[in-house]
Amino acid sequence: MFLTIRTTGTPERPATDLGYLLHKHPEKAQAFSTSYGKAHVLYPEADAERCTAALLLEVDAVALVRRGKGKGRGGAPDAALAQYVNDRPYAASSLLAVALSGVFSSAMRGVCAARPERAAQPLPLRIEVPALPARGGPDLVRRLFEPLGWTVTAEPVALDSEFPEWGDSRYVRLVLESEALTLAEALRHLYVLLPVLDDAKHYWVASDEVDKLLRAGEGWLPDHPEQHLITNRYLSRRWSLTREARERLELVRLAEADDSEVEEIDNAVEAETEAEEKPTPLAVQRRDAITAALQESGAARVLDLGCGQGQLVQALLRDPRFTEIVGVDVSMRALTIASRRLKLDRMGERQASRVKLFQSSLAYTDNRLKGYDAAVLSEVIEHLDLPRLPALEYAVFGAARPRTVLVTTPNVEYNVRWESLPAGHVRHGDHRFEWTREEFRTWAGTVAERHGYGVEFVPVGPDDPEVGPPTQMAVFVIRNVNEKEAKAA
């Protein structure tokens, strides 16, 4: 099983920097033990103009059988040699993907202390896999790799070159070329898509495979046109895992559309006005209203659920009354941006002790969310499909049960006041719905009744006498506080 990665360079930026990025010295041939054999890393060529790294995986067929899933596709009979005779030692598969993640783990994460600027920059890359099973043929190979920025060459391999009338095998010779991708992105593409094309994992697929898929697919899988096929094959067609992966990917896609859409509308309105004083952007008014409501509730420990890029967390940190502020989001990309916005790496120890960021999906219960004074869902619910709202409702109001919950969402009635917004359009293409005031009140009242909360409604922004405010906020306060909670309060 064989794969090569080649890059080119100049005297100022030599191609041998590839050795730094892969954390493997070009002058050495190195070997690494794996569960199914031995992986070798060597460099057939390495100079300033061109450098090629090769990964050779020697598969131990006996070890593959002993570990349970090596009995051929679908499981072969115990007798005979069928369980030992297969293409695993020769054709790229999940075995090679696992070897990639093990041998080049730092490179896959984009970590390189010696050349950090090179790790973050696109490289001229050529990746070649001489034998790749492609269940779906060259056309599927192109459908998987081309949307990611690759120029794809997928040449079918004949069953027998001496008998062309036999036709092509299910294998292709794959060449990928790009100058727009980083090495880390390239490795993550291979890690996911090699086993997808093979469509036969060599190990039992457990629930942690969803986490692996989302980590490797961050930044490209949520919007990939073949996302459903990728998740289905990567997770060995396990329906429950595939459903979980798709739901989490959808939440990632939704979470990355933060409340900047409203700020963009505000900016368009401001550009059209001739007033000397610019109005306060709605996003700022919303954060101010949330902060005021939290202060009035007496909350000290606050959850920002669906925190996006950390704007509200940053605003709350300015008020010392909030002793613990936790930003929660399903998107690691958004959390990374939030961390940079907050400058967590440079924050003083005392201030840093007040803030936490962690990944979680609001469609599932999470014990880490319990015990807080208040939770905020700011411009979150409208990004979910309506059938997913009950799951969020239970996770927040039923399982986490903070004393106070603030929910803000657009008021669709107000949209007619924005001249820059076409009639009949929602404020952002990612909004699955926008409610009228009556619809929001009906939903909030039902949630409050079901989970033992009282609810009041607060306008955010100018309260138009005809169409109401641009943003509507519901303030939920728990009614059935037990004795222990009352003492803690």
Side-chain angles (χ1 to χ4, degrees):
M1 199 177 294
F2 193 65
L3 174 147
T4 59
I5 304 171
R6 176 186 298 169
T7 189
T8 56
T10 64
E12 295 77 23
R13 291 190 170 186
T16 47
D17 281 352
L18 182 64
Y20 289 102
L21 301 181
L22 292 173
H23 297 261
K24 302 294 181 287
H25 200 292
E27 295 182 5
K28 297 180 180 179
Q30 298 173 268
F32 305 86
S33 295
T34 73
S35 300
Y36 299 95
K38 186 168 288 188
H40 303 268
V41 178
L42 58 149
Y43 289 78
E45 57 183 353
D47 56 42
E49 294 182 355
R50 198 159 76 168
C51 184
T52 301
L55 175 64
L56 172 65
L57 180 61
E58 290 184 291
V59 177
D60 184 339
V62 175
L64 189 62
V65 171
R66 286 175 177 169
R67 291 181 66 90
K69 252 198 144 186
K71 298 181 179 182
R73 182 171 175 81
D78 291 336
L81 295 175
Q83 57 184 326
Y84 296 98
V85 180
N86 55 58
D87 63 352
R88 302 297 88 178
Y90 314 107
S93 65
S94 57
L95 286 163
L96 186 58
V98 170
L100 275 172
S101 67
V103 175
F104 299 138
S105 59
S106 296
M108 191 174 291
R109 297 195 308 272
V111 175
C112 181
R115 297 287 191 276
E117 73 288 347
R118 291 287 271 164
Q121 294 171 349
L123 299 176
L125 292 171
R126 177 187 169 93
I127 295 175
E128 183 170 350
V129 184
L132 172 65
R135 299 181 188 275
D139 178 64
L140 178 59
V141 177
R142 286 188 286 270
R143 282 161 42 204
L144 293 180
F145 282 102
E146 285 181 349
L148 302 176
W150 293 103
T151 299
V152 180
T153 302
E155 300 175 348
V157 176
L159 281 171
D160 192 316
S161 58
E162 295 186 7
F163 298 95
E165 65 273 14
W166 288 4
D168 295 328
S169 69
R170 65 183 182 91
Y171 301 91
V172 299
R173 171 181 169 269
L174 175 65
V175 178
L176 302 172
E177 296 176 291
S178 174
E179 296 187 357
L181 298 168
T182 66
L183 178 62
E185 289 171 330
L187 292 174
R188 290 197 293 267
H189 295 167
L190 292 169
Y191 175 76
V192 173
L193 297 181
L194 290 182
V196 165
L197 283 164
D198 182 34
D199 197 18
K201 283 209 167 183
H202 68 277
Y203 57 87
W204 176 254
V205 174
S207 58
D208 62 342
E209 288 297 297
V210 177
D211 295 326
K212 295 178 187 177
L213 175 62
L214 265 63
R215 281 197 299 270
E218 184 176 354
W220 62 270
L221 185 54
D223 296 316
H224 197 290
E226 298 293 340
Q227 181 205 110
H228 284 194
L229 180 143
I230 293 169
T231 54
N232 195 33
R233 286 193 177 190
Y234 185 89
L235 297 168
S236 296
R237 294 181 171 81
R238 292 192 60 189
W239 179 81
S240 60
L241 298 183
T242 302
R243 182 182 64 177
E244 178 186 348
R246 290 176 185 171
E247 290 175 351
R248 290 173 62 181
L249 285 166
E250 180 67 3
L251 288 170
V252 168
R253 190 179 67 82
L254 299 178
E256 290 179 353
D258 61 19
D259 61 3
S260 60
E261 68 272 11
V262 177
E263 295 189 44
E264 290 174 5
I265 293 175
D266 291 336
N267 291 337
V269 173
E270 290 171 24
E272 294 172 0
T273 184
E274 296 179 358
E276 293 185 2
E277 283 191 18
K278 291 184 178 181
T280 303
L282 179 58
V284 175
Q285 295 182 57
R286 185 165 51 245
R287 288 193 286 272
D288 290 345
I290 290 170
T291 302
L294 290 172
Q295 291 169 346
E296 185 176 348
S297 75
R301 304 175 67 237
V302 179
L303 294 167
D304 182 8
L305 304 176
C307 67
Q309 299 176 6
Q311 293 95 328
L312 178 60
V313 174
Q314 186 177 45
L316 296 180
L317 275 172
R318 302 189 188 107
D319 191 331
R321 281 176 284 194
F322 303 119
T323 59
E324 184 178 354
I325 305 155
V326 178
V328 180
D329 207 284
V330 73
S331 168
M332 281 304 301
R333 177 177 176 269
L335 291 173
T336 299
I337 295 172
S339 178
R340 292 172 183 166
R341 175 190 294 274
L342 298 170
K343 299 181 174 61
L344 290 183
D345 57 338
R346 288 175 280 171
M347 189 177 287
E349 183 177 349
R350 185 174 179 179
Q351 185 79 331
S353 67
R354 296 174 58 213
V355 61
K356 297 176 185 175
L357 300 175
F358 65 75
Q359 184 183 32
S360 184
S361 167
L362 300 181
Y364 302 93
T365 59
D366 188 332
N367 288 333
R368 294 175 296 176
L369 304 183
K370 294 182 178 180
Y372 286 86
D373 300 326
V376 179
L377 289 159
S378 179
E379 309 301 285
V380 171
I381 61 172
E382 65 272 11
H383 290 283
L384 298 178
D385 289 319
L386 285 171
R388 300 302 304 156
L389 275 184
L392 177 145
E393 172 193 327
Y394 177 75
V396 176
F397 295 90
R401 291 190 67 76
R403 291 206 315 268
T404 301
V405 181
L406 308 181
V407 179
T408 73
T409 192
N411 169 23
V412 70
E413 297 170 78
Y414 192 88
N415 289 357
V416 297
R417 295 292 186 255
W418 271 309
E419 295 179 4
S420 59
L421 187 64
H425 285 234
V426 293
R427 299 182 195 177
H428 189 277
D430 206 39
H431 287 184
R432 301 312 171 90
F433 60 88
E434 288 180 358
W435 276 332
T436 65
R437 287 168 291 173
E438 183 61 31
E439 288 170 329
F440 182 53
R441 286 171 180 264
T442 300
W443 173 81
T446 302
V447 171
E449 182 66 26
R450 183 179 294 127
H451 297 285
Y453 283 78
V455 60
E456 296 181 354
F457 300 91
V458 178
V460 179
D463 196 355
D464 188 288
E466 295 181 3
V467 297
T471 293
Q472 44 194 340
M473 179 166 70
V475 180
F476 297 84
V477 179
I478 201 167
R479 285 197 302 253
N480 55 339
V481 180
N482 62 34
E483 184 178 349
K484 182 177 179 180
E485 289 175 324
K487 289 181 179 178

